[in-house]
Amino acid sequence: MYYDNKPDEVFSLLDSDKGGLSSASASERLSIYGRNRLSEKPARNPFLIFLDQFKSALVIILLIAAVISAAVGEIVDSAVIFAIVVLNSLLSLYLTLKAEKSIRSLKGMLSHKANVLRNNMSEIIDAELLVPGDIVLLESGSTVPADIYIFNSVNLHVDQSSLTGESVAVGKQSGVQNAETPVTERTNMVFMGTIITMGRATGIVTATGMQTEFGRIAGLAKSIDTGITRLQLKLDILGRKLGIASVLIAFAIFVLGLFQERELLSMFLVGVSLAVAVIPEGLPAVVTITLALGVRNMINRNCLIRNLSATETLGEISVICTDKTGTLTKNEMTVRSIYCGARFYTVTGEGYQPEGKILSEEAPTDDAILNRLILTGMLCNNTDVFLQDGKYTAAGTPTEGALVTLGMKYGISSNERTRNRSFAKEIEFTSSRKRMTSIYLENGSYCLYCKGAPEQILACSALYASSDGLKELTPAVKVELEDVYYRMAGEGLRIIALGYRMIEDPNLSDNELEDALIFLGFTGISDPPRPEVREAVEKCRDAGIEVIMITGDSPVTARSIGREIGISTDNAVCGVEIDRMNDDELGEILKECRVFARVTPEHKFRIVKQLQMQGHVTAMTGDGVNDSPALKQSDVGIAMGIKGTDVAKDASDMILTDDNFASIVDGVEEGRRQYENIRRFTNFIISANFGEIITILLAMLMHMPVILFAVQILWINLATDSALALALGTDRSAPDSMKSPPRPHNTDILNRETVGFLLFMGLWIGGLTAGIFYFMLKAGLPEAEARSAAFIGLIIFEMIHMFNFREADVSVFRKSYLDNKSLNIAWLATFAAQLVIIYWQPAQDVFYTRPLSMNDWFFISLAGLSIILMAEIYRVLRNVLIK
């Protein structure tokens, strides 16, 4: 509604007038409509976040073990278990709150202030206080604070790419629109979150907050339930399996102990030890910390992670759906070619930098027609290009900025273009006229300069400039010029035609002034691809990742950019074609098509859903509110940090701080590295825990005393295994990590081949540990000293075993042992910690240890070398069997 009404009717519907609302009326409406802001999810209660940590099956089993320990009098063991659970929960709470604080710091208001008329006076108010019926004054550079009906405007142009995806600014003016006019073509309306790039206007607010077009799409994004992440699901499943295993094993050992007629108290202690041995207490914290460290690495690669688990999901991505403008391209219009005087010129240089040349093989670049064409582009123009912070910037529309930059390359500065000329009149660009005219007084005469759509300029022209002077623009010549226009457009260029004429009276009607122009030629303008994007697309292809371009621009432009960056353009589909497809037909198209143009938010959303239904793990990039539903639906939503709207950022899992597609590929590589490291240290921890189970089980079967106490196992799992696992999580990427296809999203952290290795090495480590305990008892050494040797021996074995998980497919004789500084420091620190608990009296009392002799250390070290040898034997046998 509103857009299909006359201004007086809109004022009547909103009970307002051109003098604005009264303060009382505005206050009353604010209480009815609410503040002009988008609704947000309330911040989570820290206490509830803390309680969420206790929902894990592993934590529940640990708490039960702590209660049992306390009940049988093992107060120290019980206290240690309770302390570990609470510390892990507090660590997770801290990391969660820190992440949410970072997210809140990214948020900003869409428009902090608004210039309104109230009580017949202009005043600046907080944009949140706007209400329907307010009269708002808009000017170049301002962000539109609400949905506004325009009833008065001067040369108004609006960048509404954040809403529609269209990269070119749209002309706006007052008038009545047809009731069937779609949102993107309502030229008498400006919408919340869009930007005034040129001109000024006065309008009346028709909708605020969630009732705006911006709010409607934001509401769609908020309605999507993202659910649990794959990494969380995998770890949860693994935790449940380990929890069940701990209960079953503890019960089985308890029953075995009863058959062996052992003491009930002893069996309780063994059961608690087994439960603690099975459960990888430090795994959740290690995963969280590793992902948090990964976030830091991502920031160094211009990727800001909002969701920790998204780093792991990045490694599974099989399709990247990317916007074009500003992501694949620079969002800086550049004149690439010129046609005038029957000659083509090539223009070099990038963006708004004045460095570049105008080249032609057929004529010198001081051609008079070329000079007139370039001057026309600069004078029929309201944009300035200037140096700011060491970079040239356009203050106005990108297209006009490109024409000014062209003149600067030709030798005419932005300030010098009007020298010896005085501005007389302007006829603004409109979507119906598709042209703009500027008139200047030069040396006592008026000269009119005009630019616009080729078909419009050609239709208004009577003559054309040639190397032989002015000639009549006959129908045959027009056909030839149209052929040139279509040929240039086929190269993905946006074509601007230019003309001029001398006039006597600037006060004639617009049609009379723009009649009988002298046609000068065409300029071909493009938004150039980022130079690093083609290599990034090739890297995706090598990694088995498909790249799909989804843009609001035209199919011709989309195909051209696709060809330049290496995306297949054999088939490009427009949004209107998607509307005619059902989901099955769209699914079939997605198997082949890699370019989609003129799309709407709903189209993007449907494309992502169909890709997911085909089994793809999908990333979606975007910067506007129009992208937010697809961003949230995708497995990894990637928002632009520079040009992205708050709604897009809120809907995303990752934000690109440089708005660069190449950074996504870096993020994928980092995600693969992190998942592989998580898989490595998870396998290491489980293998080590299995070794602990075998140790306890063998001691039971051999009728030996309790070999390890719960507090000792907790020390191994947390202070030893977790510290090494955390350092293992910092390992670098494998050289071929981006040369293989993404892993299937249903891949388990523990696969059949890995489980075989874990069981084999767990048996060996458990056997060595139990063997140390057995032989020292047989040698007549005290039980406490034998237990200390077994305890330290198990720690040393696991410290050595950790190296088996680095470069798993590489022989032990070719592994890199010292290239991970963090791992080396962690290894030495862990070893030093063992010396403390063995030789420091207070620690001996807590961990039931006794000092070891040099012979003990020699025996343990010698046995430890076999860990590396057995891993090599297993690797060789596995390779032989596979072949």
Side-chain angles (χ1 to χ4, degrees), residues 550-566:
I550 306 177
T551 178
D553 273 336
S554 70
V556 173
T557 301
R559 285 194 187 97
S560 173
I561 294 296
R563 284 194 296 269
E564 286 193 62
I565 64 176

Side-chain angles (χ1 to χ4, degrees), residues 833-853:
Q834 313 318 312
L835 297 179
V836 171
I837 65 171
I838 284 292
Y839 296 108
W840 189 41
Q841 181 63 48
Q844 292 175 357
D845 296 337
V846 174
F847 294 102
Y848 308 103
T849 57
R850 297 293 182 271
L852 299 182
S853 66

Side-chain angles (χ1 to χ4, degrees), residues 161-165 214 323-327 331 604 620-628 631 638-649 659:
S161 60
S162 64
L163 184 68
T164 66
F214 197 104
D323 193 15
K324 176 186 72 68
T325 306
T327 308
N331 198 24
K604 296 181 180 183
M620 172 71 193
T621 75
D623 57 3
V625 63
N626 61 312
D627 297 320
S628 59
L631 286 173
I638 305 171
M640 302 298 109
I642 299 174
K643 298 184 181 297
T645 61
D646 286 346
V647 172
K649 293 174 184 177
D659 289 8

Side-chain angles (χ1 to χ4, degrees), residues 226-238 287 291 307-318 608-609 611-619 633-637 653 675 678 743-749:
T226 54
I228 191 171
T229 64
R230 288 189 175 90
L231 179 60
Q232 292 169 328
L233 182 62
K234 291 173 184 177
L235 291 175
D236 188 53
I237 292 173
L238 177 61
V287 170
L291 291 174
N307 181 344
L308 286 181
S309 294
T311 56
E312 178 265 343
T313 310
L314 276 169
E316 296 181 350
I317 287 174
S318 57
V608 171
K609 286 199 71 172
L611 288 168
Q612 290 172 325
M613 290 180 67
Q614 293 176 7
H616 288 291
V617 178
T618 307
Q633 174 63 35
S634 63
D635 298 283
V636 179
D653 301 294
Y675 179 83
I678 288 173
R743 65 184 181 278
H745 67 266
N746 57 354
T747 301
D748 290 329
I749 292 178

Side-chain angles (χ1 to χ4, degrees), residues 801-815:
H801 184 40
M802 177 272 302
F803 289 104
N804 290 326
F805 292 89
R806 300 196 67 215
E807 303 170 301
D809 295 326
V810 177
S811 169
V812 295
F813 303 109
R814 294 190 294 112
K815 284 182 184 288

Side-chain angles (χ1 to χ4, degrees), residues 352-634:
Y352 303 126
Q353 305 299 315
E355 292 80 13
K357 296 181 179 180
I358 302 171
L359 307 172
S360 175
E361 297 179 357
E362 304 176 44
T365 58
D366 60 352
D367 184 274
I369 303 174
L370 175 66
N371 181 82
R372 175 70 73 171
L373 178 143
I374 291 174
L375 191 60
T376 298
M378 295 189 78
L379 292 172
C380 187
N381 200 308
N382 288 307
T383 296
D384 288 324
V385 175
F386 54 90
L387 187 64
Q388 183 178 45
D389 298 328
K391 181 180 180 181
Y392 282 88
T393 303
T397 66
T399 299
E400 291 194 341
L403 293 173
V404 173
T405 303
L406 175 66
M408 294 168 70
K409 291 176 181 178
Y410 191 68
I412 306 172
S413 72
S414 181
N415 295 328
E416 291 176 347
R417 54 181 160 168
T418 57
R419 181 178 295 175
N420 300 323
R421 298 180 177 89
S422 60
F423 177 77
K425 183 177 181 179
E426 179 180 300
I427 306 174
E428 68 177 8
F429 178 93
T430 68
S431 58
S432 57
R433 288 167 28 81
K434 295 183 179 178
R435 61 183 182 270
M436 171 189 174
T437 294
S438 296
I439 301 173
Y440 290 84
L441 180 62
E442 305 176 9
N443 300 319
S445 300
Y446 289 102
C447 187
L448 177 150
Y449 300 94
C450 187
K451 75 174 190 297
E455 60 272 18
Q456 292 293 323
I457 303 301
L458 286 172
C460 294
S461 298
L463 303 172
Y464 73 97
S466 73
S467 56
D468 298 324
L470 300 181
K471 293 186 177 182
E472 181 184 357
L473 187 61
T474 64
V477 174
K478 282 189 178 181
V479 170
E480 292 177 4
L481 290 172
E482 286 172 352
D483 287 342
V484 172
Y485 157 49
Y486 292 132
R487 192 191 321 163
M488 293 175 71
E491 297 174 358
L493 300 174
R494 182 167 183 249
I495 309 304
I496 303 295
L498 301 104
Y500 80 105
R501 64 171 292 202
M502 305 302 296
I503 61 173
E504 294 182 359
D505 184 3
N507 296 315
L508 296 174
S509 69
D510 294 351
N511 288 335
E512 289 175 313
L513 288 171
E514 295 174 336
D515 187 37
L517 295 176
I518 300 170
F519 177 79
L520 289 169
F522 304 116
T523 58
I525 302 175
S526 73
D527 182 7
R530 293 176 181 267
E532 65 273 14
V533 164
R534 185 176 185 89
E535 181 181 349
V537 171
E538 291 177 359
K539 200 170 182 179
C540 284
R541 189 177 296 113
D542 292 340
I545 301 171
E546 293 288 347
V547 179
I548 297 178
M549 183 197 302
I550 306 177
T551 178
D553 273 336
S554 70
V556 173
T557 301
R559 285 194 187 97
S560 173
I561 294 296
R563 284 194 296 269
E564 286 193 62
I565 64 176
I567 295 178
S568 172
T569 59
D570 295 339
N571 189 15
V573 175
C574 288
V576 291
E577 298 176 73
I578 297 176
D579 287 330
R580 295 192 291 265
M581 299 178 189
N582 59 36
D583 289 343
D584 291 338
E585 290 170 335
L586 178 58
E588 288 300 315
I589 287 293
L590 282 166
K591 293 179 181 178
E592 300 176 358
C593 183
R594 294 294 172 262
V595 176
F596 292 85
R598 297 295 190 204
V599 294
T600 66
E602 288 75 13
H603 297 148
K604 296 181 180 183
F605 186 79
R606 283 186 64 193
I607 288 171
V608 171
K609 286 199 71 172
Q610 283 300 310
L611 288 168
Q612 290 172 325
M613 290 180 67
Q614 293 176 7
H616 288 291
V617 178
T618 307
M620 172 71 193
T621 75
D623 57 3
V625 63
N626 61 312
D627 297 320
S628 59
L631 286 173
K632 199 159 188 180
Q633 174 63 35
S634 63

